[in-house]
Structures are given as C-alpha cells and as structure tokens.
Amino acid sequence: MCDKRKRQCVCLRQVYKSCLDGLLPSYQAFYRVCSRLTKHQSTLLSGQDKQLLVALAGMDVSVPHVAVVSLAVCCRALKLCKVPAAVLHAFDDIRLQPASQVVLGLPEHILAPHAQPSPNPVQLQMTTPFPVTLPECALPADFNKQHGLLAKPYKHLVHRALLEQHMGEFKSFSTNPFQLNRKGIAHGSRTWQNSEKQVYLFLGYCHHYQQVSQPTLQLFLSSPLIAQYVSFHIAAGHSQLYIRNFLSCARCVLRWWQSKPGGNHPSFVEGLEWLQTLGLQVADQLPRPSKDPKGLADAGKWMSAPRLVHLIHGAELQSQDQMQQQGVTVETSRDMHDAALAAMTFSHLPPVRLSCIRSLVVPAYTGPCLHPDCKEPSCEGNRLSITSESPLLMHIQLPHHKNARKWGKAVIEFDVPSDLAQLLHTYLGAPRKALLEHHLLIGDTCPYVFMDMHGRGFVAAAVLTLYWQKWLVSRGGVPMNPSMCRQVFVDERQSNSATAGPSNQGAAMVMGHSVKQWDKWYDMQYHPRLAQNAVDGMQSWRAAMLQSHPPAAPDLTLSSALHCGHVLVSDSEESRYQSCCSDSDIDIDLD
C-alpha cells in the first residue's frame, strides 16, 4: 500500500469518526459543500480501492460508492461547515501534502441525489402490508422509562444533521400560520412541544430497543415499528390518552411526508386510515384511569377541599410569622414564595390554570409579551398589576389561556382579594429581591412572579408539578398533582353538601372553561350523584302519590247475557277482521 493511499484512508477514518461523534453536520451536508466547490466533478474510486478503504477504515461493506475530492476542497468545506477547531487540526499533517486526496465514504441514497441530480424525486411510501393486529410485547429486562432521545444517554443523537433537518422541516410544516398543504390550523407552542416530545420518545425506543443506529423521521413510515411501539406502551401500563397522543402525532408526521415531493403514494392514505382505526380501537379497549375521589384518597393522591384550604392557610400564617420573627432571609423568603404560590393555586381564587400561573409576570416588568404565540404588539401578557397602593388593590389579567381562541380572545381578568393581595405585595418586596440576589440574579432579571429553586420561572409544567408535590408533602399533605386542585374544587361545589360560595358560571369563567366542562371532565361524582338524587327523590314522589285521592275505578261489569270472556262483534266487523288476518298471514308467508 502506498503512502498516498494510507493518508487517504487515515483522513477517511477521521471524517467518518467526526460524523459519528456529531462534530460534522453529516456526510450529506458535508458532501453538498464539496460538490458545490468542485462543481459536481467528484470522481468515484474503483472496486479495488473501495475494498482497501473498507478494510482499513472499518466502514460498512454495504457502502456502494466512495467519492474523492482534493485535500484543499476538503479543508475549505470543513471551514464552511463551521466545524470545531479540533477537527481542523486533525488534518494538519495531511495538509503538508498538497497533492494528496481526501476520501469520503457515502451511502448511495445520500451520494446519488447530489452527485447526479435527478428531476424525478424518490418515491416515498409506507411499509406494506399493514399489520392486522398488534404483536405481543413483554417489557424487556433493561426497561427504562427514560428511553427518549432527550434523555442524557441518547441526547447526542438529537443533533445529528439529518434528524435536525427533518425536525426543522416538520416544525415549519406544523407551526407556519399559513401552510395550505396542511390540514387544520397551525400548532401552538404547547402543542408543538408535545409533538416534539412524542417524536423523540418514539425515536428513542427505536434506537434503544430496536437497535436503530440512525433514528430519523423516516421511521414513522414503518407501520410494524408503530405497532410494536403501541404494544410496548400497553405492556408498560400507559394510559390510552398517552397512546392516542402518539398516534395523533404519527398522523401529523405522515401528512408532512405526504406533502414532500414523491409523497403521493397511495400507502400514505392507507396509513392514515390505519392509524385512525388503531386509535379508535385503543380508546375502546383500554380503560380510562379511575378518578373516583375515594379511590384516589386510598391511593394517597387526593385531599378534600376543607383539608387543603386549612393546610394552605396555615402555610400563609406561618410564613408571615417567621418573616416578622426572623426577618428577610433566603429561607423565610422561600417559605413566603411557596405560600403565595399555593394561595394562587387554591383557596383564595377559583383554581386558575397552571399555565396562567406559570406565565404571570410581575408588575415591574415593562418588556414585550413573553407568550411564544402572541402576535399582538400591544399585548402585556398574563400580568399581575398594582392598581392602588393605599388602599392596596391588585388586578390580574390573563389574555393567554387555553380557550382564548374559542372565546374570541376574551381576557380573563379580576381584582385580587384583599388577603391574597397583601400576601403577594409582601412577597414581591424584600423577600423576592432576596431570592434573586441569592441566585446571583442581580436586578429584576426573572420577569415571572414565581420561580423555581434556581431563580428561574416555571417554564416547564413538569417542574411546577414536582415543586408543588414536594411542598405539599413537606406540609403534611399527599403528593397530589396541582392540576387536581381543579377537580377538588368542582367536586365540592357540585356536591350535595356544598357551602355558600361563588356562582358556578363565574367560577368556571375564572378557571377558563364552562360549567358543561365541569360535568364532562372535572366533576368525578356527576353520574353517581345524579343517580342517587333521582332514587332519593322517587321516595317523596311515591309518598305524594299515595297521599293523593285516587280516581274512581271504572265499572267493568259485563252484561248477564255474556258468560265468557269473548267479545261479540257484528257479522260485518267479523268479516273485516278475518280479511285483515288473512292479509297479515299472506304478508308473513311472503316475508
């Protein structure tokens, strides 16, 4: 083997390793730059040279073509790709030989579209035939709930160039305000985050459990993989809502593939129908999780409304007493922050949506609206404002809530009760400043009213959920999800023993929905309570019926000439009766 060929192979190994480590964008993007620089005049090695490269560089024997570009072109391409300096230094020794060649091993499906551009796009299609039933699946021995690509062991795969390219195109297709080849309206920021999460979970499953080394969105074209993934979720005991969310995301990915050149294959239409059928049968066969208060209380996931109100009220009093006795410290400031957060979640107000609480900004914030989907230039966002200092008056306006679009952008706004306003006003003073300084956030750098243990806003819903559960347990409660406070409130308001309080319609307005949604989603005793009330009401109805005077009974005495139960009819009536009977018999025989 000549020295020139050895230098080529060493360079090939370095480029190949850099691509696997994620330092280079990809062979595809790298070769695009090389092709532009050489004006598509790259050459291909012979079969003997290719075998030499395979043997020395350890590449897969399935690599069909190897393109050759000069070292100068390779170095210029590396700079244009903005690779780290360490990769550039790896070629310093080879750069001493200007006449040497750099060899790039490229799979045919990547090389061909760029080396020899074709006007006809590659025909895309799904894997057929579609599975007619779900395969049996048992949880593997190395089952790990954190199997998505966003988990630490696999996070480097997210930054592979081809996957990043697919995700960027899919995001643009899903979130563009006007995308006329897309069905339906654009995804909001929260919907896109859920879709992105479902994609990475599926790709992580394919990588970890199906040994797919290069996960891309093309895996959604494999119906057997989707069927195995659904069986995996069923074996793991996940809810039907979780699985249906994934199937909905899979349909969106298929529509994106369908919009691409070559995506007009009939298998896409069949695949969308197959996914819809699978979703309907999952919803029918998998039971919904029980939300009975007694069952949740037995499982340690439910607190009654009186107990929860007393617990939050005790936290408010304790935080104020500690602030007066110990002064403003990090610990007392954090206790007051937690008490204010709990009071905003339950007790003083009808349970506002957690997304509104997380996005609530302080009165001193003067920047633009922080909601990612807001397009109104004059919008101030979900804001807590001080109307008057003496007497203290606070106001909350929530233009961004879940049903804002359905309500015609109607804003939820109200004045804060005096007790809660005083608690918030105290917290927003020296205690909040102490927390910001403790987290080295000099100045009002966190625009949100509430912050996590690192001085950052609760941007992710899961962070607030874990924070709330931990605080609730520390106060002697149970690890109940904060969103469950809405069910607790509705359960008390709709019960037969409900105390005097706000109107149901007004409370539902503050909660961001309607009373009909109370009956459908939040009132977990709706059907058994109505049934029991109906049975109880029947007893008074029966008593009223017995107390009423019954009408006189009709005289059913027959003539003495009649000695049997037969009814006498005239000859004409008898003939008509027989005629009708004969007609009926004929109809039955014909049938």
mmCIF file of all heavy atoms in Angstrom, residues 1 5 9-10 12-13 47-63 66:
data_model
loop_
_atom_site.group_PDB
_atom_site.id
_atom_site.type_symbol
_atom_site.label_atom_id
_atom_site.label_comp_id
_atom_site.label_asym_id
_atom_site.label_seq_id
_atom_site.Cartn_x
_atom_site.Cartn_y
_atom_site.Cartn_z
ATOM 1 N N MET A 1 0.857 -1.193 0.000
ATOM 2 C CA MET A 1 0.000 0.000 0.000
ATOM 3 C C MET A 1 0.892 1.241 0.000
ATOM 4 O O MET A 1 1.810 1.359 0.806
ATOM 5 C CB MET A 1 -0.895 0.016 1.245
ATOM 6 C CG MET A 1 -1.832 1.206 1.314
ATOM 7 S SD MET A 1 -2.699 1.293 2.889
ATOM 8 C CE MET A 1 -3.534 -0.276 2.862
ATOM 9 N N ARG A 5 -2.098 6.391 -0.447
ATOM 10 C CA ARG A 5 -3.347 5.690 -0.151
ATOM 11 C C ARG A 5 -3.565 5.606 1.353
ATOM 12 O O ARG A 5 -4.682 5.704 1.841
ATOM 13 C CB ARG A 5 -3.304 4.297 -0.759
ATOM 14 C CG ARG A 5 -4.609 3.536 -0.603
ATOM 15 C CD ARG A 5 -5.734 4.187 -1.401
ATOM 16 N NE ARG A 5 -5.494 4.074 -2.816
ATOM 17 C CZ ARG A 5 -5.907 4.952 -3.723
ATOM 18 N NH1 ARG A 5 -6.558 6.017 -3.333
ATOM 19 N NH2 ARG A 5 -5.653 4.784 -5.009
ATOM 20 N N CYS A 9 -6.825 6.985 3.570
ATOM 21 C CA CYS A 9 -7.630 6.178 4.475
ATOM 22 C C CYS A 9 -7.644 6.759 5.883
ATOM 23 O O CYS A 9 -8.664 6.723 6.575
ATOM 24 C CB CYS A 9 -7.096 4.752 4.497
ATOM 25 S SG CYS A 9 -7.276 3.913 2.909
ATOM 26 N N VAL A 10 -6.512 7.286 6.323
ATOM 27 C CA VAL A 10 -6.479 7.922 7.649
ATOM 28 C C VAL A 10 -7.429 9.108 7.684
ATOM 29 O O VAL A 10 -8.168 9.331 8.648
ATOM 30 C CB VAL A 10 -5.046 8.347 7.992
ATOM 31 C CG1 VAL A 10 -5.044 9.227 9.237
ATOM 32 C CG2 VAL A 10 -4.176 7.121 8.220
ATOM 33 N N LEU A 12 -10.041 9.512 5.805
ATOM 34 C CA LEU A 12 -11.398 8.977 5.753
ATOM 35 C C LEU A 12 -11.881 8.577 7.146
ATOM 36 O O LEU A 12 -13.007 8.877 7.539
ATOM 37 C CB LEU A 12 -11.446 7.777 4.825
ATOM 38 C CG LEU A 12 -12.707 6.910 4.909
ATOM 39 C CD1 LEU A 12 -13.917 7.700 4.482
ATOM 40 C CD2 LEU A 12 -12.570 5.661 4.073
ATOM 41 N N ARG A 13 -11.040 7.900 7.904
ATOM 42 C CA ARG A 13 -11.428 7.478 9.247
ATOM 43 C C ARG A 13 -11.733 8.685 10.125
ATOM 44 O O ARG A 13 -12.664 8.667 10.929
ATOM 45 C CB ARG A 13 -10.310 6.645 9.871
ATOM 46 C CG ARG A 13 -10.075 5.311 9.182
ATOM 47 C CD ARG A 13 -9.062 4.479 9.927
ATOM 48 N NE ARG A 13 -9.554 4.119 11.250
ATOM 49 C CZ ARG A 13 -8.850 3.429 12.131
ATOM 50 N NH1 ARG A 13 -7.615 3.034 11.838
ATOM 51 N NH2 ARG A 13 -9.358 3.122 13.309
ATOM 52 N N GLY A 47 -13.496 -0.556 -7.608
ATOM 53 C CA GLY A 47 -13.857 -1.545 -6.618
ATOM 54 C C GLY A 47 -12.685 -1.970 -5.756
ATOM 55 O O GLY A 47 -12.828 -2.209 -4.552
ATOM 56 N N GLN A 48 -11.485 -2.041 -6.334
ATOM 57 C CA GLN A 48 -10.320 -2.453 -5.554
ATOM 58 C C GLN A 48 -9.958 -1.414 -4.505
ATOM 59 O O GLN A 48 -9.664 -1.749 -3.355
ATOM 60 C CB GLN A 48 -9.132 -2.681 -6.496
ATOM 61 C CG GLN A 48 -7.874 -3.178 -5.792
ATOM 62 C CD GLN A 48 -6.741 -3.427 -6.758
ATOM 63 O OE1 GLN A 48 -6.891 -3.207 -7.956
ATOM 64 N NE2 GLN A 48 -5.617 -3.898 -6.239
ATOM 65 N N ASP A 49 -10.008 -0.127 -4.899
ATOM 66 C CA ASP A 49 -9.726 0.931 -3.931
ATOM 67 C C ASP A 49 -10.780 0.980 -2.836
ATOM 68 O O ASP A 49 -10.483 1.262 -1.677
ATOM 69 C CB ASP A 49 -9.654 2.277 -4.645
ATOM 70 C CG ASP A 49 -8.434 2.391 -5.531
ATOM 71 O OD1 ASP A 49 -7.427 1.716 -5.236
ATOM 72 O OD2 ASP A 49 -8.496 3.142 -6.519
ATOM 73 N N LYS A 50 -12.021 0.715 -3.227
ATOM 74 C CA LYS A 50 -13.096 0.735 -2.221
ATOM 75 C C LYS A 50 -12.889 -0.371 -1.187
ATOM 76 O O LYS A 50 -13.059 -0.159 0.008
ATOM 77 C CB LYS A 50 -14.453 0.569 -2.907
ATOM 78 C CG LYS A 50 -15.634 0.643 -1.937
ATOM 79 C CD LYS A 50 -16.957 0.622 -2.677
ATOM 80 C CE LYS A 50 -17.151 -0.706 -3.364
ATOM 81 N NZ LYS A 50 -18.489 -0.791 -4.011
ATOM 82 N N GLN A 51 -12.501 -1.548 -1.629
ATOM 83 C CA GLN A 51 -12.232 -2.635 -0.688
ATOM 84 C C GLN A 51 -11.081 -2.279 0.248
ATOM 85 O O GLN A 51 -11.095 -2.619 1.425
ATOM 86 C CB GLN A 51 -11.914 -3.913 -1.458
ATOM 87 C CG GLN A 51 -13.087 -4.469 -2.256
ATOM 88 C CD GLN A 51 -12.702 -5.677 -3.075
ATOM 89 O OE1 GLN A 51 -11.565 -6.141 -3.015
ATOM 90 N NE2 GLN A 51 -13.643 -6.193 -3.853
ATOM 91 N N LEU A 52 -10.092 -1.582 -0.288
ATOM 92 C CA LEU A 52 -8.973 -1.153 0.535
ATOM 93 C C LEU A 52 -9.445 -0.194 1.627
ATOM 94 O O LEU A 52 -9.052 -0.311 2.793
ATOM 95 C CB LEU A 52 -7.924 -0.474 -0.350
ATOM 96 C CG LEU A 52 -6.719 0.136 0.369
ATOM 97 C CD1 LEU A 52 -5.902 -0.952 1.045
ATOM 98 C CD2 LEU A 52 -5.860 0.905 -0.626
ATOM 99 N N LEU A 53 -10.307 0.727 1.245
ATOM 100 C CA LEU A 53 -10.814 1.683 2.225
ATOM 101 C C LEU A 53 -11.679 0.985 3.278
ATOM 102 O O LEU A 53 -11.628 1.300 4.461
ATOM 103 C CB LEU A 53 -11.630 2.765 1.520
ATOM 104 C CG LEU A 53 -10.831 3.670 0.571
ATOM 105 C CD1 LEU A 53 -11.771 4.599 -0.164
ATOM 106 C CD2 LEU A 53 -9.803 4.455 1.340
ATOM 107 N N VAL A 54 -12.488 0.038 2.853
ATOM 108 C CA VAL A 54 -13.342 -0.696 3.782
ATOM 109 C C VAL A 54 -12.493 -1.459 4.785
ATOM 110 O O VAL A 54 -12.770 -1.496 5.984
ATOM 111 C CB VAL A 54 -14.275 -1.643 3.015
ATOM 112 C CG1 VAL A 54 -14.962 -2.606 3.970
ATOM 113 C CG2 VAL A 54 -15.314 -0.849 2.243
ATOM 114 N N ALA A 55 -11.430 -2.074 4.310
ATOM 115 C CA ALA A 55 -10.579 -2.869 5.202
ATOM 116 C C ALA A 55 -9.828 -2.005 6.179
ATOM 117 O O ALA A 55 -9.689 -2.351 7.361
ATOM 118 C CB ALA A 55 -9.605 -3.694 4.357
ATOM 119 N N LEU A 56 -9.354 -0.859 5.740
ATOM 120 C CA LEU A 56 -8.526 -0.036 6.618
ATOM 121 C C LEU A 56 -9.360 0.857 7.531
ATOM 122 O O LEU A 56 -9.061 0.997 8.710
ATOM 123 C CB LEU A 56 -7.582 0.822 5.777
ATOM 124 C CG LEU A 56 -6.609 1.710 6.570
ATOM 125 C CD1 LEU A 56 -5.717 0.845 7.445
ATOM 126 C CD2 LEU A 56 -5.767 2.546 5.625
ATOM 127 N N ALA A 57 -10.404 1.438 7.003
ATOM 128 C CA ALA A 57 -11.203 2.401 7.776
ATOM 129 C C ALA A 57 -12.287 1.748 8.602
ATOM 130 O O ALA A 57 -12.932 2.400 9.403
ATOM 131 C CB ALA A 57 -11.836 3.422 6.835
ATOM 132 N N GLY A 58 -12.537 0.459 8.411
ATOM 133 C CA GLY A 58 -13.558 -0.208 9.205
ATOM 134 C C GLY A 58 -14.962 0.203 8.855
ATOM 135 O O GLY A 58 -15.858 0.156 9.699
ATOM 136 N N MET A 59 -15.177 0.597 7.616
ATOM 137 C CA MET A 59 -16.512 1.030 7.209
ATOM 138 C C MET A 59 -17.371 -0.174 6.849
ATOM 139 O O MET A 59 -16.871 -1.272 6.618
ATOM 140 C CB MET A 59 -16.428 1.991 6.028
ATOM 141 C CG MET A 59 -15.725 3.297 6.356
ATOM 142 S SD MET A 59 -15.786 4.439 4.980
ATOM 143 C CE MET A 59 -17.551 4.702 4.871
ATOM 144 N N ASP A 60 -18.646 0.069 6.799
ATOM 145 C CA ASP A 60 -19.587 -0.985 6.453
ATOM 146 C C ASP A 60 -19.367 -1.415 5.002
ATOM 147 O O ASP A 60 -19.175 -0.591 4.109
ATOM 148 C CB ASP A 60 -21.013 -0.465 6.636
ATOM 149 C CG ASP A 60 -22.048 -1.569 6.512
ATOM 150 O OD1 ASP A 60 -21.642 -2.713 6.264
ATOM 151 O OD2 ASP A 60 -23.237 -1.275 6.669
ATOM 152 N N VAL A 61 -19.415 -2.719 4.764
ATOM 153 C CA VAL A 61 -19.166 -3.225 3.419
ATOM 154 C C VAL A 61 -20.291 -2.866 2.462
ATOM 155 O O VAL A 61 -20.158 -3.050 1.252
ATOM 156 C CB VAL A 61 -18.982 -4.758 3.446
ATOM 157 C CG1 VAL A 61 -17.743 -5.145 4.216
ATOM 158 C CG2 VAL A 61 -20.214 -5.433 4.046
ATOM 159 N N SER A 62 -21.402 -2.359 2.972
ATOM 160 C CA SER A 62 -22.512 -2.005 2.095
ATOM 161 C C SER A 62 -22.337 -0.642 1.445
ATOM 162 O O SER A 62 -23.195 -0.217 0.684
ATOM 163 C CB SER A 62 -23.836 -2.026 2.876
ATOM 164 O OG SER A 62 -23.803 -1.061 3.915
ATOM 165 N N VAL A 63 -21.257 0.066 1.772
ATOM 166 C CA VAL A 63 -21.037 1.375 1.149
ATOM 167 C C VAL A 63 -20.780 1.174 -0.334
ATOM 168 O O VAL A 63 -19.783 0.561 -0.715
ATOM 169 C CB VAL A 63 -19.856 2.096 1.815
ATOM 170 C CG1 VAL A 63 -19.585 3.412 1.095
ATOM 171 C CG2 VAL A 63 -20.148 2.338 3.275
ATOM 172 N N VAL A 66 -17.613 5.610 -3.241
ATOM 173 C CA VAL A 66 -16.717 6.471 -2.482
ATOM 174 C C VAL A 66 -16.285 7.604 -3.386
ATOM 175 O O VAL A 66 -15.724 7.362 -4.464
ATOM 176 C CB VAL A 66 -15.481 5.699 -1.970
ATOM 177 C CG1 VAL A 66 -14.546 6.644 -1.240
ATOM 178 C CG2 VAL A 66 -15.904 4.575 -1.057
#
